[in-house]
Amino acid sequence: CPHTTSWFPFYQQFSCQCLYGWKGAFCTEIVSVCDPEHKPPHQCSADATCIPLPYGYACHCPLGKIGTYCEQAPEKQTKPTINQYRYCLLLYILAVSISDPSFRATESSWMAFTPFNIRHKTHISMQFKPLSADGILFYTAQHLNPRSGDFLSISLAHGFVQLRYNLGDRTVILQTNTQVDTSGRTWHLVKAGRSANKGYLELDGSNVTQKATAGMTALDTRTDFYVGGVSMLNAVSALAVEDEPTGFDGCIRELIVNDIELNLSETGAQEGVNIGDCDGTACGYKVCNMGNCISDSSDNFTCSCPPLWVGSKCELSMFCLVNLCQHSSLCVPDVSTASYTCACPLGWGGTYCENQIALFTLKFVGNSYVKYTDPYYKSRNLEFTRISLNFTTNENEGLILWIGKAENEDNDFLAIGVQSGNLKVAVNLGERISVPLIYREIILCCNKWHFVTVLQNQTNISVYLEDKIILFEDIDPERRYVALNYESTCYFGGFELSRKVKSVTSGVFTQGLVGKIKDVLFQDSRKVQFNGLEGYNVYSGDN
């Protein structure tokens, strides 16, 4: 027992009583300033993390707390009343409400978000107001260690914005032509990303691009999306930054990744430490939507709304403030007519969705959709798929059917639609191995009924129009992927009202169907029954 005052034998075993400053079963470990054995104990709050330093320690605060010891929220706390003091002394410690997060490199600030698919394309848009010339704005990698594998990083280097990414073969570096303002007075807008290995970087409208070259095209990342820094800066790839990795100093707002906006708040982030609020008020970039936010010293705010918008956060159109829409329908304001329309849920129709309608023939109007969940999916043989239906189209473009989750570009799918008046079928069984099949002999138009059948037999795709085979192709003779893993989900006519067809399908189709669908047979001889399914803006086409 080194570093002990005594030891005590006990039946050929012993225990060590350690000298001050040592710990462990054999008194061989030095007591850190952050250990509970240290005297005096550290003062970090219970939910903070104590980090030992060469001279003292630092407290890493969880999201919603700031201060030297993570014990307070100085800028945005609401002072308790005398009565509140009487009832709960815990009101002394209040959480920070983050509307636009602020980061401090000296305090190792960072936020982390649950990642999603950015493998084949990565498009990032963010606004930031810097206080220093260096720092990580966004980072994700295959592994969180110096040998990171694939990575993508957006950072400041000597005042210039850099985009760096590595898909497994080489590191691509793009840098802006101008430097940012580090005085803390200017919000900058950066747009950066890549499609396959072709990259681009834009700062306040000035663009730099990297042409596509031969080589790797997929970005394989598994870490969280880190914003403003990384949980372990020594785990950042040396190739991802120009100098030593450092956190960002300043504020960030409106961060959008592949059309998905990340919620930059204490409730939206998965993790984070030492995050404050940019201006120390309840106001933030989108607190009042399109209006102006006005905050007072007591953490209250009011919104000055633009014309035709009302509500405490300018979230309501004046035209929908008093509406007659029924049966959970959605009020859609129409500025051109100074009125509104009602988006009816499936099975309801009429001006105010007041009439229940039978759905034998579905009529789609371009912003319509029906979502069908296959109840027999788990018992299906996914190497064989059969779908047939009757349809009409009034326009030269339109999505008729999408079999698949449609959550990201790697999801399997089988799709039927119209492109330039021609029938188009597209299939992806994995790794984006998709060859669009287009039949150009017949122009589909003029509200005429057509009967289409698509068969998938492993990688063989057969398409029938009016019971005549018109297309046949083996889309993957090597048989790398043979099953259509559609996760039980099918869409007819389009997608949810908040999702655009062109974006969801990555341009495979450009808009929803304007036309009709009926007599849908999926996998077997039983017709799909649409009553009771999810959908909006679908009308009866039997009239």
Side-chain angles (χ1 to χ4, degrees):
C1 287
H3 313 297
T4 61
T5 57
S6 59
W7 64 278
F8 304 94
F10 182 75
Y11 297 107
Q12 298 183 352
Q13 297 182 357
F14 61 87
S15 62
C16 301
Q17 184 173 339
C18 302
L19 290 170
Y20 176 75
W22 297 88
K23 67 176 183 176
F26 303 106
C27 302
T28 56
E29 303 173 39
I30 298 177
V31 173
S32 162
V33 68
C34 290
D35 288 334
E37 297 94 340
H38 190 271
K39 295 180 182 180
H42 68 79
Q43 298 183 52
C44 298
S45 65
D47 51 357
T49 302
C50 179
I51 306 296
L53 300 174
Y55 303 99
Y57 63 92
C59 301
H60 280 193
C61 305
L63 284 171
K65 292 289 185 67
I66 59 173
T68 303
Y69 305 115
C70 311
E71 80 288 2
Q72 59 180 330
E75 293 106 347
K76 296 185 65 173
Q77 66 182 25
T78 301
K79 294 182 179 179
T81 65
I82 293 177
N83 287 334
Q84 288 173 322
Y85 274 122
R86 292 173 180 170
Y87 285 107
C88 186
L89 292 177
L90 290 177
L91 289 176
Y92 277 108
I93 303 175
L94 298 174
V96 179
S97 177
I98 301 170
S99 52
D100 295 324
S102 65
F103 301 81
R104 296 171 298 281
T106 55
E107 297 184 20
S108 302
S109 302
W110 55 271
M111 298 178 85
F113 296 84
T114 303
F116 46 82
N117 188 292
I118 57 172
R119 190 163 189 258
H120 298 288
K121 63 179 181 181
T122 313
H123 301 301
I124 299 173
S125 172
M126 64 191 308
Q127 297 187 47
F128 66 99
K129 184 168 63 173
L131 291 169
S132 63
D134 299 277
I136 294 173
L137 293 167
F138 182 91
Y139 182 78
T140 186
Q142 193 168 7
H143 307 288
L144 195 58
N145 60 55
R147 301 180 65 178
S148 65
D150 293 10
F151 65 79
L152 184 141
S153 171
I154 303 174
S155 62
L156 291 175
H158 309 293
F160 296 95
V161 181
Q162 287 189 352
L163 167 68
R164 293 172 174 243
Y165 57 90
N166 190 306
L167 309 182
D169 51 0
R170 63 190 180 91
T171 299
V172 176
I173 303 174
L174 297 178
Q175 179 173 295
T176 58
N177 297 318
T178 57
Q179 294 175 293
V180 298
D181 174 14
T182 58
S183 67
R185 295 191 297 264
T186 305
W187 282 102
H188 294 281
L189 172 63
V190 61
K191 296 181 179 180
R194 30 72 62 181
S195 293
N197 62 13
K198 177 182 179 181
Y200 68 92
L201 175 63
E202 178 182 304
L203 176 66
D204 300 328
S206 179
N207 187 272
V208 179
T209 61
Q210 166 74 34
K211 293 182 178 180
T213 59
M216 300 291 189
T217 59
L219 175 67
D220 293 308
T221 59
R222 299 189 183 94
T223 69
D224 290 339
F225 292 162
Y226 288 98
V227 178
V230 179
S231 59
M232 297 184 293
L233 287 172
N234 61 356
V236 173
S237 171
L239 298 175
V241 290
E242 182 163 311
D243 301 313
E244 287 294 317
T246 182
F248 170 68
D249 266 316
C251 302
I252 295 177
R253 68 185 188 188
E254 194 184 43
L255 173 56
I256 301 172
V257 181
N258 285 3
D259 296 324
I260 298 175
E261 183 169 359
L262 304 186
N263 183 359
L264 300 175
S265 72
E266 69 275 18
T267 58
Q270 179 174 270
E271 291 183 89
V273 297
N274 295 345
I275 303 298
D277 185 76
C278 189
D279 63 2
T281 73
C283 288
Y285 179 55
K286 289 191 174 180
V287 168
C288 291
N289 294 298
M290 298 171 289
N292 294 320
C293 183
I294 304 169
S295 177
D296 60 30
S297 59
S298 62
D299 200 30
N300 296 317
F301 69 91
T302 57
C303 294
S304 175
C305 301
L308 306 181
W309 291 91
V310 294
S312 60
K313 296 184 177 180
C314 306
E315 75 278 16
L316 299 174
S317 166
M318 185 180 70
F319 305 124
C320 286
L321 191 59
V322 178
N323 67 79
L324 302 176
C325 298
Q326 302 178 28
H327 300 109
S328 301
S329 57
L330 305 176
C331 179
V332 181
D334 187 341
V335 177
S336 63
T337 61
S339 62
Y340 66 91
T341 58
C342 299
C344 302
L346 199 65
W348 295 92
T351 303
Y352 305 114
C353 309
E354 72 278 14
N355 300 323
Q356 192 166 10
I357 59 177
L359 294 173
F360 300 106
T361 301
L362 308 182
K363 180 180 178 181
F364 298 82
V365 294
N367 63 340
S368 317
Y369 81 97
V370 174
K371 183 178 180 180
Y372 170 70
T373 301
D374 180 9
Y376 307 105
Y377 174 75
K378 292 184 178 180
S379 62
R380 302 287 193 196
N381 181 349
L382 302 181
E383 294 184 5
F384 303 92
T385 304
R386 178 188 179 96
I387 181 75
S388 61
L389 54 84
N390 283 288
F391 74 94
T392 70
T393 177
N394 294 343
E395 296 190 3
N396 289 330
E397 305 286 336
L399 172 65
I400 298 171
L401 168 72
W402 186 279
I403 302 176
K405 291 176 65 176
E407 291 181 354
N408 65 64
E409 58 188 3
D410 276 343
N411 291 152
D412 289 9
F413 66 82
L414 186 155
I416 305 172
V418 179
Q419 177 179 299
S420 300
N422 305 130
L423 182 68
K424 179 179 181 179
V425 175
V427 184
N428 172 36
L429 301 180
E431 289 295 320
R432 292 167 57 90
I433 301 172
S434 172
V435 180
L437 309 177
I438 302 175
Y439 184 63
R440 306 182 188 278
E441 301 300 320
I442 297 178
I443 297 297
L444 310 171
C445 71
C446 311
N447 206 27
K448 179 182 177 182
W449 283 103
H450 301 279
F451 180 63
V452 62
T453 299
V454 178
L455 303 177
Q456 172 245 337
N457 183 349
Q458 295 188 345
T459 60
N460 292 319
I461 307 299
S462 305
V463 182
Y464 296 79
L465 186 63
E466 328 300 6
D467 288 327
K468 176 185 176 182
I469 189 166
I470 57 171
L471 296 169
F472 175 84
E473 188 157 346
D474 186 347
I475 62 173
D476 182 17
E478 296 180 8
R479 301 290 194 272
R480 285 171 288 180
Y481 301 93
V482 297
L484 178 66
N485 298 292
Y486 60 96
E487 300 294 335
S488 78
T489 305
C490 304
Y491 288 93
F492 294 90
F495 301 101
E496 290 87 350
L497 301 183
S498 61
R499 301 204 294 164
K500 303 299 182 184
V501 169
K502 185 175 182 179
S503 175
V504 174
T505 68
S506 298
V508 176
F509 295 99
T510 59
Q511 66 181 50
L513 176 67
V514 179
K516 300 177 181 180
I517 295 176
K518 68 176 181 179
D519 303 329
V520 178
L521 301 176
F522 184 53
Q523 301 288 36
D524 48 41
S525 59
R526 287 175 290 186
K527 287 186 180 181
V528 173
Q529 302 298 317
F530 291 100
N531 289 302
L533 299 184
E534 175 189 329
Y536 272 96
N537 284 339
V538 179
Y539 301 89
S540 173
D542 294 317
N543 300 330

